Amino acid sequence: KTNKPHNANDFQLSQNYPNPFNPATTIEFAVPYQSDVELVVYNTMGQKIKTLVKGPRNHGEYKIRWNGENDRGVKVSSGIYIYQLRVGSMIDSRKMIFIR
């Protein structure tokens, strides 16, 4: 089940699915207006693990898959990760669980 934005003007970050996941998960988000967008995965100590999206995006809905690898292409260890969406000055984040 996915949480679709009520309309295209909503800023929204949906819960990833499946969660917990292995080997991959999908993250959906909505951008309310053309803006620089950043979607980053962090570990629970706040260290950046993987940058999934960085750069300008038009308004609309997006789906991003993450395969559990860090920026160097190495599989992360099992545990809780936080993904954070930044659109302009708006920020939202959610937790996800990776199980190896």
Side-chain angles (χ1 to χ4, degrees):
K1 180 183 168 204
T2 60
N3 304 340
K4 285 284 182 212
H6 301 297
N7 63 59
N9 296 322
D10 287 350
F11 164 76
Q12 181 163 347
L13 178 62
S14 298
Q15 185 64 50
N16 66 301
Y17 62 89
N19 188 37
F21 71 96
N22 181 9
T25 190
T26 299
I27 298 168
E28 294 185 355
F29 63 93
V31 177
Y33 48 82
Q34 184 173 355
S35 179
D36 277 339
V37 174
E38 197 174 51
L39 179 62
V40 178
V41 177
Y42 296 93
N43 65 18
T44 53
M45 292 165 18
Q47 296 164 314
K48 187 181 285 193
I49 299 300
K50 177 77 174 176
T51 300
L52 298 171
V53 175
K54 186 172 178 70
R57 291 291 185 277
N58 291 321
H59 106 266
E61 296 176 17
Y62 295 87
K63 280 186 189 185
I64 302 294
R65 278 178 62 79
W66 182 45
N67 61 1
E69 292 180 357
N70 65 21
D71 278 331
R72 295 186 307 281
V74 178
K75 279 280 187 202
V76 299
S77 53
S78 296
I80 297 172
Y81 293 86
I82 291 97
Y83 57 101
Q84 183 182 77
L85 177 67
R86 243 178 231 272
V87 177
S89 62
M90 297 177 288
I91 301 174
D92 195 9
S93 59
R94 293 182 185 262
K95 289 181 183 175
M96 60 183 159
I97 300 170
F98 179 66
I99 297 175
R100 285 188 78 161

